[in-house]
Amino acid sequence: PAEEVQLDCLKAQQRSDALKAVSTSLLYSETDHYYSSVANTGNAAAAEIIRLLVNERERRNPPKYKNSSTSYAAWLLSGQLEKAEAERVAKELDAPEIDVASMQTGRPAAPSEATYWTFGGTQNGLVKGFIDLTKGSHVVVYSARGCGFCLAAATDLMTDPRRGRIFRESSIWVETPDSNFSLQYFSSWNSRFPEFPLRAVFQRKNWPQRKIPATPYFFFVKDGQVVSEMIGWTEENKNKLDKNLAAIGL
C-alpha cells in the first residue's frame, strides 16, 4: 500500500522523488509492466515513467560495465526519436545515431496514411514510406528478424507460387524497433527476403494496434477494417491462411 501510494504519485506527477520509498524489486517489476505497455501500444507516458524507474534503479545500483538501454528502447517504441537519440548520447550506448532532422524531411503523412521506414538509402540508411490501409485489401505482418517462426513464414510464402504472389502484391512486413534498431539488424532480413522487406514503424497511427503476444502476427485488412487476425506459423494457421485471404478478397 505505501509503495502503491508512491507509484500513484509518480504516475500522476511523473516525479522522481516519489520513488525513494519504493523497493528495488518493485522498481524492476514496474519497469517490466510499463515496458510491456509501451511495446504493445507505443504509450508515450509509459516511456517517461520507464525513464524515471530506470534512473532510480541506476542511482541505487550504478551499472558496472554498461548503461541500461531500456529507456532508449522505450523512447524508440513510443516513436519519440529525439529523446531516444538524447538517451543514446547521454549513456554512450552502442547503438546507431538517429538522424532525426533528416527523418523529418519530406512530406508528412496524409490523414489516412500509415508511415514506415525502410533501410537502404540515404538518411542514415532510412527511407520514409507511406501506406493507406483504408483503401483495398492488405495483410500487415508484425514480424521480428530473430523470430524463427517469422523466418519460416517468409521462407514458405516466398517459395509458394500462389500465396507468394498475393503476399508480394498485398502484404507489408513491419517491426516496432527497440534496442535492436540498426541497419545490420534489418538488412540481414531484407537481403534474405527481398520480396518481403522488413519495415520499421515508429509512429503507431493508422496501423492495426493490438497487444502483440507473439510473432508473426497477421492482420487481414479490408478498406481500413481488420477482418481477421492470425498469430504464429503453425500447421493449423497455414491451413487457415487461404480462408483469411479470401475474407478480404485476395
Side-chain angles (χ1 to χ4, degrees):
E3 292 184 337
E4 290 177 2
V5 170
Q6 294 294 335
L7 285 169
D8 286 342
C9 176
L10 169 66
K11 296 171 190 175
Q13 303 178 33
Q14 295 187 351
R15 290 173 51 194
S16 58
D17 60 354
L19 294 174
K20 293 180 179 179
V22 175
S23 67
T24 299
S25 62
L26 189 59
L27 288 177
Y28 278 87
S29 64
E30 286 295 294
T31 301
D32 291 341
H33 167 74
Y34 284 105
Y35 193 88
S36 177
S37 175
V38 73
N40 289 323
T41 66
N43 187 328
E48 174 61 24
I49 291 175
I50 288 171
R51 180 187 68 82
L52 297 174
L53 291 166
V54 170
N55 285 351
E56 176 63 16
R57 282 166 36 182
E58 294 187 343
R59 185 190 69 80
R60 297 182 189 184
N61 300 295
K64 295 181 180 180
Y65 303 107
K66 64 179 181 179
N67 291 317
S68 169
S69 62
T70 304
S71 296
Y72 168 77
W75 292 131
L76 281 178
L77 287 166
S78 63
Q80 301 182 80
L81 302 185
E82 291 183 349
K83 291 183 177 180
E85 176 60 12
E87 184 83 7
R88 182 194 70 82
V89 173
K91 292 192 173 180
E92 300 180 337
L93 299 176
D94 183 17
E97 178 184 358
I98 304 173
D99 190 348
V100 179
S102 293
M103 290 176 67
Q104 292 174 342
T105 61
R107 74 170 179 87
S112 62
E113 288 180 327
T115 305
Y116 61 84
W117 295 89
T118 303
F119 280 90
T122 57
Q123 302 176 8
N124 199 26
L126 287 167
V127 179
K128 183 164 57 175
F130 307 97
I131 185 170
D132 191 343
L133 299 175
T134 68
K135 299 176 182 178
S137 301
H138 307 271
V139 183
V140 178
V141 188
Y142 278 84
S143 184
R145 183 196 65 83
C147 168
F149 291 106
C150 298
L151 294 169
T155 299
D156 290 346
L157 290 167
M158 192 168 64
T159 56
D160 185 306
R162 187 180 63 83
R163 290 173 170 177
R165 176 186 58 77
I166 293 172
F167 269 76
R168 283 192 297 274
E169 295 174 354
S170 303
S171 74
I172 182 166
W173 297 62
V174 300
E175 181 173 359
T176 51
D178 53 16
S179 55
N180 290 323
F181 170 61
S182 70
L183 173 60
Q184 181 179 6
Y185 180 89
F186 281 81
S187 62
S188 62
W189 170 286
N190 294 348
S191 62
R192 183 172 179 179
F193 304 109
E195 296 173 314
F196 309 133
L198 191 58
R199 274 75 178 238
V201 170
F202 297 108
Q203 287 81 29
R204 311 292 178 92
K205 182 181 178 183
N206 295 329
W207 289 102
Q209 295 191 34
R210 301 283 192 281
K211 179 178 181 180
I212 308 293
T215 54
Y217 197 127
F218 298 81
F219 291 95
F220 300 89
V221 182
K222 176 72 171 179
D223 296 330
Q225 300 298 315
V226 176
V227 176
S228 60
E229 304 171 27
M230 190 174 79
I231 305 174
W233 191 246
T234 62
E235 289 302 320
E236 181 181 3
N237 282 346
K238 293 176 190 179
N239 294 330
K240 291 179 179 178
L241 181 58
D242 290 336
K243 180 180 178 180
N244 286 320
L245 291 172
I248 58 172
L250 295 177

